Amino acid sequence: MVGGAMAAANGVDGSNMTDPNRIWNEASLRLRAEIGDGPFSSYIAPSAVRMDSAGQLILVTPTAYARDWVRKNALRRMNELWLGLDRLNRRLDVRCRAEVSSAPPASAVIGGNVVDATPRLAALALPTVAPVADGARAVRAAGLQERLTFDSFVEGQGNAFALAIAKQVASWADGHFNPVFFCGPYGYGKTHLLNAIAWEAQRLRPEAKVVYLTAERFLSTFVKAMQDRSTAAFKESLRSADMLLLDDVQFVGGKASTQEELLSTLTALIEDGKRIVFSADRAPMALTEVEPRLRSHLSAGLTCPVEAGDRALKIAVAQNRLKALSALGVVQGEAAPEVLAQLVDRTPGSMRELEGAVNTLAAAAGSRLSSLSVDEASTLLGAALRGGPERRITVDEIQKTVADHFNLKQADLLSERRTRSVARPRQMAMYLCKQHTTRSYPDIGRRFGGRDHTTVLHGVRKIEELMAQDDQIARDVEALTRKLRG
């Protein structure tokens, strides 16, 4: 059936079906109905039709994974629909955004006209949420993670304030602090909060332009823009934003031109009353590798710590992750409380490490999850996470590792010395003993020069408290944990 006849048969005026935008709108509507909203929203909706320098029509996907999915599952049917509508009998190819961005300058299909698109294609590498009616589609095109929303964020004592501020930012409330700066150790929810803000902000104001970038992406896109002599397009992509979210801003440190550009962008957006959100592993004034003027601007709004989670929060995170995996059919039933408790105790690092351990247990247990005993769960985790039976960590090994880390002697930790340079490492060693061994508080106390169990309890709680307040303590604990795990 020729294009005009098919279009007429389907109630579409085929006399003017040469406009790629009209053809794509019609073809994509039919494709959505055939493959379903889920696959369409994930792989097709974030894509756009472009025309290369040779006149070839291209469906540009945001990622290589989406490109491969389209080629395997939808490209053939897509072309059948396209050829049935297009009077010029053109075919579609599919490429990912990175391929298009690295290709020679091309032309793009915009409003039915073929125009010079050099600045547009140069800016394609920038994951920008354009002001379109379908806000969810636009945010998805920005490379955010769909599961990182407020609904999936687990609130606890260490992150309640950060969560409240994040929701306030996402609501576009008046009287806001600007910029908002989330800081804290790796793996405790900063990226989750920035993703959640972007999703919610776009849902509440679909016409707004929300830009989410990692600092690494900001750097690479800025460098490419300078190489392509398209810095004007890059600046416009950022400065026309209604909300800018930049993750892991500490990575711009030491790069003078990039810091200068970020400072100019920050100043321009604040002057225009736009919303700005940053995250880093430290508070702004602790980013010593960042230029002082930029540091000052970063700290001018609200600095909001995202603190390390306590045991109750970690158990809640593990439960939440298992519920999500259950909804996907990975596991059946619920894990016993003692199994979850052991899982958390076996994973004293960040929330990311905890989620990895939950994923491992779920994949190994499957339908047996609800019937798993503590010993069976331990065996599954030991084999999966360590490639064999779990290696036992001893009190002696912890003492030696901590002493080496702080340039002390093991005897110093057992001594009566109470100076800060010895007392803090001693408390850290006690904390690690409680996390990595089965020893009781009295037993640990005996191994530290015959100390009382209340001294050990105080030391453990002190380190838990300091990990939420002191980035260096948190980093030391994580470093020692990695050393102990080999």
Side-chain angles (χ1 to χ4, degrees):
M1 180 180 289
V2 296
M6 181 177 177
N10 287 279
V12 179
D13 178 12
S15 62
N16 191 35
M17 291 298 276
T18 59
D19 178 356
N21 277 330
R22 290 191 61 202
I23 297 169
W24 176 239
N25 287 340
E26 178 65 25
S28 61
L29 282 174
R30 300 181 192 178
L31 190 64
R32 180 195 284 269
E34 292 182 13
I35 69 174
D37 286 340
F40 186 92
S41 296
S42 296
Y43 301 107
I44 309 297
S47 307
V49 177
R50 300 284 183 263
M51 184 181 290
D52 68 12
S53 55
Q56 169 70 51
L57 289 172
I58 308 163
L59 181 71
V60 181
T61 63
T63 65
Y65 180 80
R67 174 202 64 199
D68 295 341
W69 187 95
V70 170
R71 278 182 180 159
K72 181 179 179 181
N73 300 283
L75 186 58
R76 179 176 177 181
R77 180 55 181 156
M78 204 179 292
N79 269 304
E80 289 175 353
L81 292 170
W82 188 282
L83 289 170
L85 294 165
D86 188 2
R87 290 178 58 200
L88 300 180
N89 293 319
R90 293 166 292 190
R91 297 185 66 86
L92 274 178
D93 192 8
V94 59
R95 298 179 200 166
C96 67
R97 185 177 299 165
E99 292 172 321
V100 174
S101 299
S102 60
S107 57
V109 178
I110 306 174
N113 300 314
V114 177
V115 299
D116 177 14
T118 302
R120 186 179 182 89
L121 289 179
L124 268 177
L126 185 65
T128 300
V129 179
V132 296
D134 187 354
R137 181 185 69 182
V139 174
R140 197 173 291 116
L144 298 171
Q145 299 179 58
E146 291 190 32
R147 71 183 186 90
L148 300 184
T149 65
F150 286 130
D151 287 341
S152 63
F153 191 88
V154 181
E155 182 177 356
Q157 185 176 356
N159 61 31
F161 176 64
L163 178 60
I165 294 299
K167 288 182 175 180
Q168 181 183 354
V169 173
S171 70
W172 302 95
D174 293 332
H176 61 282
F177 297 97
N178 209 23
V180 171
F181 195 105
F182 294 102
C183 59
Y186 285 110
Y188 285 100
K190 301 186 301 297
T191 295
H192 194 145
L193 287 175
L194 263 64
N195 274 251
I197 290 170
W199 283 110
E200 182 68 4
Q202 190 73 80
R203 185 187 70 81
L204 294 174
R205 282 184 53 185
E207 78 286 354
K209 182 176 181 181
V210 178
V211 176
Y212 168 87
L213 285 169
T214 63
E216 181 183 9
R217 192 63 179 270
F218 177 87
L219 287 167
S220 62
T221 309
F222 178 59
V223 170
K224 182 168 176 28
M226 289 194 297
Q227 293 171 344
D228 295 344
R229 298 181 179 179
S230 58
T231 53
F234 173 81
K235 291 178 180 181
E236 176 61 23
S237 295
L238 292 180
R239 298 181 191 183
S240 60
D242 295 297
M243 180 181 291
L244 172 65
L245 304 104
L246 190 62
D247 204 0
D248 285 331
V249 73
Q250 71 271 9
F251 290 124
V252 303
K255 302 166 181 67
S257 59
T258 307
Q259 290 185 65
E260 188 65 34
E261 177 56 35
L262 180 57
L263 179 59
S264 299
T265 298
L266 180 59
T267 303
L269 289 173
I270 289 177
E271 288 177 353
D272 290 342
K274 304 301 177 64
R275 314 297 173 100
I276 308 167
V277 185
F278 294 104
S279 80
D281 62 349
R282 285 157 283 160
M285 296 312 291
L287 299 173
T288 53
E289 65 273 30
V290 172
E291 191 263 337
R293 283 191 308 151
L294 176 57
R295 245 187 0 244
S296 176
H297 277 74
L298 292 175
S299 60
L302 172 67
T303 298
C304 186
V306 182
E307 300 173 350
D310 58 16
R311 194 167 184 268
L313 176 61
K314 289 186 174 183
I315 289 176
V317 167
Q319 289 173 326
N320 192 59
R321 182 59 183 155
L322 282 173
K323 286 179 182 177
L325 293 171
S326 178
L328 294 172
V330 177
V331 293
Q332 295 177 18
E334 298 181 357
E338 59 270 21
V339 169
L340 280 178
Q342 187 217 45
L343 177 70
V344 167
D345 292 341
R346 285 271 310 274
T347 317
S350 70
M351 295 298 186
R352 286 199 188 102
E353 292 177 19
L354 176 59
E355 285 203 346
V358 173
N359 293 340
T360 300
L361 182 63
S367 61
R368 298 192 302 119
L369 178 65
S370 58
S371 63
L372 276 186
S373 67
V374 171
D375 289 341
E376 288 173 325
S378 178
T379 300
L380 290 176
L381 281 171
L385 295 181
R386 309 185 194 283
E390 183 181 5
R391 183 177 66 83
R392 292 186 61 186
I393 299 173
T394 65
V395 172
D396 183 68
E397 182 182 359
I398 291 171
Q399 290 174 344
K400 288 178 179 177
T401 302
V402 172
D404 288 344
H405 184 80
F406 290 102
N407 295 316
L408 299 171
K409 296 177 180 179
Q410 186 175 357
D412 293 331
L413 301 180
L414 279 59
S415 71
E416 293 298 321
R417 292 175 59 189
R418 297 184 179 182
T419 58
R420 176 67 61 85
S421 61
V422 175
R424 192 69 76 223
R426 182 186 295 129
Q427 290 175 330
M428 207 171 292
M430 291 175 176
Y431 169 84
L432 291 168
C433 286
K434 192 58 185 171
Q435 292 292 322
H436 294 283
T437 75
T438 59
R439 302 292 181 183
S440 64
Y441 286 115
D443 196 7
I444 293 172
R446 284 192 291 271
R447 301 296 184 96
F448 279 81
R451 284 176 165 79
D452 187 80
H453 76 279
T454 57
T455 302
V456 180
L457 178 61
H458 170 75
V460 170
R461 289 179 175 173
K462 185 65 177 178
I463 294 301
E464 289 176 341
E465 175 187 334
L466 289 173
M467 285 174 65
Q469 301 172 357
D470 190 320
D471 289 343
Q472 187 57 53
I473 294 290
R475 283 195 291 270
D476 282 334
V477 170
E478 289 194 21
L480 287 164
T481 299
R482 285 194 296 271
K483 289 179 181 179
L484 291 169
R485 290 176 178 173

